[in-house]
């Protein structure tokens, strides 16, 4: 029936995401261009399902929706695992690259908003419209776009800001998924970013080496231990987020608090209980992390309502096209040279494209796709989530207000 909405149950949506992931694996094997440009499997399968949903909507007027309650938990699992694998000693070793990436990120966010607001001004549109094509929807993603939309609509003369922001974030997510692999491949093969064969690394997908020989195999006890620690850290992260929000009005994303709690636990519990078997950097934890990321990203992409993009005005499409070009140029001409012109810098370039136009999970998926082909990049996987998860949301709020105030 025209105008009908069909919403699949949580059970169906979750298991369909697994099938769609394997569809992406099959597509990447059959369509060489996808494998050649390191397009992540969740992107290949998820976008195909999103396009099929678009065909159904255009042909029958029926919206296909998905229940996504489990998606947030998968996101928390992934970032908590990143936190559990982080050690303060590693941060000390990588302090300079972390600082450089932090400074580059701030510069890029200012540039992204300057591009958006500049084009908007040239077209006679309000600054808020340009910022929807900047860090509000791109670096910030759907959550930031939805949060800022009502204020832009009521206070800054941008009617339909929520819808425009959500559509822009959707298109940015697609661009981020498709840009990272080709940029990383270009830097590795054309700009000298190949891995050093004299420094091989053994690492799981999240880029961190395992510490004990006993943890080099996946066991049911290892999986249960890892899952228990993950859930404890997630529980603490949720409690911390609620306490910060209620206590001092600091409304951080829950996954940021989970990441932080994972870091704290891994840097304190093993010291207090040195004989305890801790799951950090084990293959069991890596398996859970990869599973969470794969299903999360697949669910996110297959549930995209691509018909909302049709509502984007011509000026916003112009801004978005320009932002993609600027992001690629910034990575190639600024980020890659300043981060050292090496393999880690090339992998960081692929990841930077992911969160500069989309979201941190997209960045991790882009880097994972690159490392599957060329080998692990420990430093890239360590510092990028810290910058994109911890710092970006706080800096973005300040930068948005700076442009709106101007």
């Amino acid at each position: 029936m025209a105008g009908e909405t069909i919403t699949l149950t949580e059970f169906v949506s979750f298991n369909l995401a697994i099938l769609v992931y394997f569809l992406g694996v099959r597509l990447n094997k059959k369509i060489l261009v996808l494998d050649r440009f390191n397009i992540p499997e969740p992107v290949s399968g998820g976008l195909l399902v999103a396009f099929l949903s678009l065909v159904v909507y255009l042909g029958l007027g029926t919206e296909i929706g998905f229940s996504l309650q489990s998606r947030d938990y998968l996101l928390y699992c992934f970032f908590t695992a990143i936190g559990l694998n982080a050690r303060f000693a590693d941060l000390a070793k990588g302090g300079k690259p972390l600082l450089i990436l932090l400074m580059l990120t701030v510069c890029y966010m200012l540039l992204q908003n300057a591009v958006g607001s500049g084009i908007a001004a040239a077209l006679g549109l309000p600054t808020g419209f340009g910022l929807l094509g900047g860090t509000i929807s791109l670096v910030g993603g759907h959550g930031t776009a939805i949060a800022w939309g009502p204020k832009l609509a009521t206070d800054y003369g941008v009617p339909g800001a929520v819808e425009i922001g959500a559509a822009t974030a959707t298109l940015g997510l697609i661009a981020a998924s498709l840009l990272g692999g080709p940029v990383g491949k270009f830097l590795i093969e054309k700009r000298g970013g190949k891995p050093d064969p004299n420094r091989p690394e053994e690492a799981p997908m999240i880029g961190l080496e395992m510490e004990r020989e006993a943890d080099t195999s996946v066991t049911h006890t290892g999986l249960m231990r890892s899952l228990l620690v993950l859930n404890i850290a997630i529980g603490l992260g949720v409690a911390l987020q609620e306490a910060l929000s209620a206590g001092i009005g600091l409304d951080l994303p829950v996954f940021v608090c989970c990441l932080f709690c994972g870091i704290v636990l891994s840097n304190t519990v093993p010291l207090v209980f040195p004989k305890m078997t801790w799951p950090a950097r084990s293959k069991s934890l890596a398996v859970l992390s990869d599973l969470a990321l794969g299903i999360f990203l697949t669910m996110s992409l297959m549930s995209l309502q691509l018909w909302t993009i049709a509502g984007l005005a011509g000026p916003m499409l112009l801004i978005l096209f320009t932002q993609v070009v600027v992001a690629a140029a910034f990575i190639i001409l600024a980020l890659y040279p300043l981060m050292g012109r090496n393999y880690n810098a090339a992998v960081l370039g692929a990841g930077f494209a992911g969160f500069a136009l989309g979201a941190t999970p997209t960045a991790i998926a882009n880097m994972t796709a690159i490392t599957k082909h060329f080998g692990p990049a420990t430093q890239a996987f360590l510092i990028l989530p810290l910058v994109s998860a911890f710092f970006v949301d706080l800096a973005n709020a300040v930068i948005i207000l700076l442009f709106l105030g101007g």
Side-chain angles (χ1 to χ4, degrees), residues 112-113 128 131-132 134-141 144-145 148 152 396 400:
Q112 191 175 74
N113 276 347
L131 296 182
L132 283 173
T135 63
I136 289 180
S137 300
L138 299 181
V139 168
T144 304
W148 279 91
L152 293 176
N396 199 14
I400 291 169

Side-chain angles (χ1 to χ4, degrees), residues 64 67 71 77 112 130 135 151 174 201-202 299 324 396:
I64 299 177
S67 299
R71 188 178 62 170
C77 283
Q112 191 175 74
T135 63
K151 187 174 183 64
I174 296 171
E201 297 181 75
E202 294 292 336
M299 293 181 78
V324 173
N396 199 14

Side-chain angles (χ1 to χ4, degrees), residues 211-233:
E211 294 190 340
R212 293 180 294 277
E213 185 67 25
D215 292 326
T216 58
S217 60
V218 179
T219 65
H220 70 284
T221 54
L223 288 171
M224 287 192 291
R225 182 186 300 114
S226 299
L227 186 59
L228 175 62
V229 173
L230 277 175
N231 286 331
I232 291 173

Side-chain angles (χ1 to χ4, degrees), residues 105-170:
T105 301
V106 173
C107 292
Y108 176 77
M109 292 170 70
L110 292 169
L111 175 62
Q112 191 175 74
N113 276 347
V115 169
S117 58
I119 294 177
L123 297 175
L125 298 169
T127 299
F129 185 90
L131 296 182
L132 283 173
T135 63
I136 289 180
S137 300
L138 299 181
V139 168
H142 288 84
T144 304
I146 293 171
W148 279 91
K151 187 174 183 64
L152 293 176
T154 57
D155 298 346
Y156 294 95
V158 187
V162 174
E163 291 77 12
I164 294 174
T168 304
T170 298

Side-chain angles (χ1 to χ4, degrees), residues 45-71:
L47 285 182
L48 177 59
V49 172
F51 278 112
L52 291 176
S53 296
L54 174 62
V55 171
V56 172
Y57 176 79
L58 294 176
L60 303 176
T62 300
E63 294 187 16
I64 299 177
F66 301 89
S67 299
L68 304 174
Q69 288 89 342
S70 60
R71 188 178 62 170

Side-chain angles (χ1 to χ4, degrees), residues 89-109:
D90 293 326
L91 297 181
K93 292 177 184 177
K96 184 177 179 181
L98 182 65
L99 181 62
I100 294 173
L101 182 61
L102 190 62
M103 295 172 63
L104 284 168
T105 301
V106 173
C107 292
Y108 176 77
M109 292 170 70

